[in-house]
Amino acid sequence: MALSEPVLVKRIPTPPWGDPADRKYVGYDHFTATGGYAGLKKSLGMAPKAVVDVVKDAELRGRGGAGFPAGMKWSFLPPEDGGRRFLTVNADESEPGTFKDRLLLDFDPHLLLEGIAISMHACRLDTAYIYIRGEYHHQAKTLQKAIDEAYAHKIFGPDSILGLINNFWPQCYVHRGAGAYICGEETGLLESLEGKRGWPRIKPPFPAVAGAFARPTIINNVETLAMVGPIMERGAAWFKSMGKGRSEGVPPTAPASFGPKLFGVSGHVQRPGVYEEELGIKLSTLIDKYCGGMRPGSKFKAAIPGGISMGVLGPDQWDAELDFDIGKKYSCLGLGTAGVIVMDQHTDMVAVARNIARFFAHESCGQCTPCREGTGWMYKILSRIEAGGGTLDDLDLLLELSGSMGALPGTTICGLADGANWAVRTILNKFWAEFEARVSQRRSKVSLAAAGGR
């Protein structure tokens, strides 16, 4: 399995197709000269429902973490009632280990804007807000520059082709976040967009019915929308010729893992970076072919497949296939954002678990008691274990805690607690001996001290 030519990084020099040193901002003229906005032009000649059907037929799954089918999400919108309808683009990218969207925002933001325009036409949306991570200062300026070019060339605005066809004034804005992890959750993002505290909302109602300012709203990730233009230009069959279909025996209603994907790789590899490949690529291939292998003297020990909330792959999962079924096959939460963090044999997994727990305890919005208290408890227990003061009972308590907090057990509104508990539980289960040895050291020290006293 190998991608024959780049799609999302077509204009961004990336190994093995180009040298990152040659990267530069792709403006409107360069974008259109290399086939940009062809998908939008084709879409504007189609009925909105027909555009939605193409995205549904392609089975494009969201690239922001949850993997929900984009076309299905678009189809949830209620009929028009003459009021406002919004598109909110999740460019928050706050998941540790994730930096794939930043590549597109840095160098080829028009690819995102094309997807936004197509979505606005397909779903009859009059206003788009790009909610961008507060720390992305340069990216926000680059994105605004591209938006200004898009207005100047009548992609958006009162006299745009999109507006004339749909009889409304399509507008697109950049909205700066304030650096809160929880605002990457779609309803927390909406609350922040409205100027309120970023607390996730109880659902239903879902955003498609009552989202931004209580109006119908579609929420998509940057990479998801960036993929829409190429799909509309080349068709659903082209998209489904890449990636990985359904596993044998899986019903046809289950989403597959079609298409190319951006993988952001960091950690103990020779060449960290963002690489484009088909879904289903093996972790080992991604590291050896694209990242130049492990660092000299390093051996693979573990990897986080998609941002820290997805849990960890163990030492025997070097050849794990990176697709949307990864959670079922390798006992982790899922593929997530495909932000791969690689760890070598020198990595202290107790310290990794403690550091992840610290992050989630700090970023919990505090709205739900199991998350507010549970993440803090996990951090304190892991800190005690790392410092040498833990016991075997602490390990059992960690597993009990991780199994009783989160949206999946039904105890919290959003999935932040799930990310915390899956990260801790998978590290603990797959590296149990390392944790057991750490608490056994304390028992040995106590025994030696007692013997000396006698």
Side-chain angles (χ1 to χ4, degrees):
M1 178 180 294
L3 197 65
S4 59
E5 61 179 353
V7 179
L8 294 168
V9 297
K10 175 181 177 180
R11 303 170 189 87
I12 307 173
T14 302
W17 299 288
D19 186 347
D22 297 329
R23 290 173 178 172
K24 59 183 179 180
Y25 170 77
V26 178
Y28 179 86
D29 292 337
H30 182 188
F31 186 71
T32 53
T34 52
Y37 288 117
L40 174 61
K41 183 177 181 181
K42 184 177 178 181
S43 299
L44 293 177
M46 302 167 60
K49 185 181 182 303
V51 177
V52 174
D53 288 341
V54 171
V55 177
K56 287 178 70 175
D57 291 344
E59 299 186 55
L60 170 64
R61 296 182 67 170
R63 267 55 175 160
F68 192 84
M72 185 180 297
K73 181 183 287 189
W74 291 7
S75 68
F76 289 160
L77 284 168
E80 293 179 84
D81 60 3
R84 304 288 299 278
R85 291 157 69 92
F86 298 100
L87 171 67
T88 56
V89 183
N90 190 340
D92 193 60
E93 198 160 52
S94 53
E95 179 73 25
T98 306
F99 46 94
K100 62 182 179 62
D101 293 344
R102 187 176 69 188
L103 181 74
L104 299 176
L105 297 173
D106 265 331
F107 301 108
D108 199 5
H110 279 283
L111 187 61
L112 167 62
L113 298 185
E114 181 178 23
I116 288 173
I118 293 171
S119 176
M120 294 177 78
H121 170 61
C123 301
R124 306 282 294 170
L125 312 172
D126 57 84
T127 304
Y129 291 105
I130 305 173
Y131 187 100
I132 191 168
R133 179 175 172 82
E135 293 86 349
Y136 278 8
H137 304 289
H138 172 73
Q139 290 75 20
K141 293 176 182 177
T142 302
L143 187 54
Q144 187 59 57
K145 178 181 178 180
I147 290 174
D148 292 342
E149 292 175 348
Y151 270 91
H153 289 86
K154 304 187 186 307
I155 303 299
F156 305 111
D159 53 352
S160 66
I161 299 176
L162 178 61
L164 294 173
I165 289 176
N166 291 285
N167 197 29
F168 57 71
W169 179 354
Q171 302 181 73
C172 184
Y173 303 102
V174 175
H175 183 92
R176 300 285 295 274
Y181 174 81
I182 196 62
C183 291
E185 194 277 335
E186 60 178 17
T187 58
L189 183 155
L190 292 176
E191 290 288 290
S192 176
L193 180 67
E194 294 176 3
K196 295 178 283 189
R197 178 184 294 182
W199 273 14
R201 300 174 180 174
I202 295 174
K203 296 177 282 189
F206 292 93
V209 176
F213 311 104
R215 294 297 304 166
T217 304
I218 291 296
I219 305 174
N220 283 134
N221 173 257
V222 168
E223 186 187 347
T224 308
L225 289 168
M227 197 68 251
V228 170
I231 287 174
M232 293 308 303
E233 179 186 0
R234 305 189 193 188
W238 163 81
F239 181 75
K240 295 171 80 169
S241 69
M242 296 172 284
K244 189 176 180 184
R246 295 169 189 80
S247 302
E248 186 177 348
V250 174
T253 53
S257 297
F258 293 123
K261 180 78 183 71
L262 294 180
F263 297 90
V265 189
S266 59
H268 302 145
V269 295
Q270 294 201 56
R271 189 172 61 199
V274 178
Y275 303 100
E276 184 178 14
E277 246 303 349
E278 296 185 31
L279 280 164
I281 184 175
K282 290 183 178 180
L283 174 65
S284 56
T285 303
L286 182 65
I287 293 173
D288 286 339
K289 177 180 177 181
Y290 290 93
C291 303
M294 301 291 294
R295 289 178 182 175
S298 294
K299 294 181 180 180
F300 176 78
K301 179 176 182 178
I304 292 170
I308 63 172
S309 62
M310 293 297 109
V312 69
L313 297 171
D316 59 339
Q317 295 171 340
W318 165 249
D319 286 321
E321 295 175 322
L322 301 177
D323 58 44
F324 287 111
D325 286 328
I326 190 172
K328 296 178 183 177
K329 293 184 291 187
Y330 303 106
S331 300
C332 55
L333 186 54
L335 182 63
T337 59
V340 181
I341 305 173
V342 182
M343 292 166 273
D344 68 11
Q345 77 274 21
H346 303 298
T347 305
D348 181 347
M349 299 309 295
V350 177
V352 170
R354 188 265 308 155
N355 197 35
I356 291 175
R358 180 205 60 81
F359 173 82
F360 284 115
H362 180 268
E363 292 295 336
S364 173
C365 75
Q367 185 177 189
C368 304
T369 303
C371 179
R372 181 184 66 244
E373 302 299 327
T375 54
W377 292 345
M378 286 201 295
Y379 172 53
K380 291 175 183 177
I381 294 170
L382 284 164
S383 295
R384 183 165 68 241
I385 293 172
E386 185 185 20
T391 67
L392 284 172
D393 288 341
D394 286 330
L395 304 186
D396 294 331
L397 182 57
L398 278 174
L399 290 177
E400 182 181 348
L401 264 174
S402 65
S404 59
M405 54 184 276
L408 293 180
T411 60
T412 60
I413 293 172
C414 86
L416 185 146
D418 294 284
N421 75 53
W422 272 90
V424 170
R425 129 176 30 165
T426 56
I427 294 173
L428 186 55
N429 282 329
K430 295 179 182 181
F431 295 92
W432 180 268
E434 200 164 324
F435 284 81
E436 192 174 42
R438 188 67 62 91
V439 298
S440 297
Q441 286 174 10
R442 175 179 180 272
R443 186 169 61 238
S444 299
K445 290 177 182 178
V446 171
S447 299
L448 287 171
R454 289 194 297 269

